[in-house]
Amino acid sequence: MTRTIAIVAMAALLSACSVTRPPTQVAAAVPAAWYAPPLPHQGSSQNLAQWWARFDDPVLTDWIERAQIQSASIASARAQVFAARANRIAAASGAGPQAALVAGASRGRSTNLQAPATSLNAGAQMSWELDLWGAADASVGRAQAQQEAASAGWHEAR
């Protein structure tokens, strides 16, 4: 019975190594040159909403309004880029070894007849989580994709 459990546990552990990641680069057709025609709404968000309202699609106009709320200006889009960059850095730092210094102090007395006592303590804590199934790597990849999406939104706002 013990041998069977050990074989099943080893097979489960080794099967985690067979998980493959999605490709990092996806082929995409890129035009040779970019041409931006003049804007039909002259850069005004109100004119933009009126222009899209001509198609009589309430879902589309709702999406446009949400996009304007999310990245109404270059400053808000830039702030989203910085937030996404901070999330990526936090995700990457969580994937590596961790170290922390801990210190504490307390002072008090157990009864009124005793003199106050002081207690001081200090310590160090170190840890490193083994990433057997690639969750930390996937978290870093997700944060990187969010940063790239925020950068694209910033360029779109510009």
Side-chain angles (χ1 to χ4, degrees):
M1 181 70 172
T2 307
R3 178 178 265 181
T4 305
I5 292 173
I7 290 172
V8 170
M10 187 60 85
L13 185 63
L14 289 176
S15 70
C17 297
S18 68
V19 177
T20 59
R21 296 185 63 184
T24 56
Q25 296 293 328
V26 178
V30 179
W34 174 255
Y35 169 72
L39 297 173
H41 52 80
Q42 288 78 34
S44 166
S45 61
Q46 186 170 1
N47 290 346
L48 176 68
Q50 290 173 352
W51 190 85
W52 283 106
R54 297 182 315 156
F55 297 104
D56 197 28
D57 186 356
V59 174
L60 183 62
T61 54
D62 181 51
W63 282 1
I64 300 260
E65 288 173 15
R66 289 182 186 192
Q68 286 296 320
I69 290 169
Q70 186 174 1
S71 291
S73 68
I74 293 175
S76 67
R78 184 171 185 253
Q80 290 175 6
V81 169
F82 284 124
R85 187 175 297 149
N87 287 339
R88 181 187 54 82
I89 291 169
S93 70
Q98 305 291 318
L101 296 176
V102 181
S106 64
R107 181 164 172 83
R109 66 175 84 184
S110 60
T111 64
N112 288 338
L113 301 175
Q114 293 180 334
T118 303
S119 172
L120 302 172
N121 58 30
Q125 298 175 346
M126 290 184 251
S127 65
W128 189 6
E129 181 181 351
L130 295 177
D131 192 18
L132 295 178
W133 286 272
D137 239 7
S139 176
V140 171
R142 183 188 76 236
Q144 178 69 32
Q146 288 173 343
Q147 179 185 349
E148 290 170 3
S151 293
W154 179 69
H155 287 295
E156 185 65 27
R158 283 193 355 206

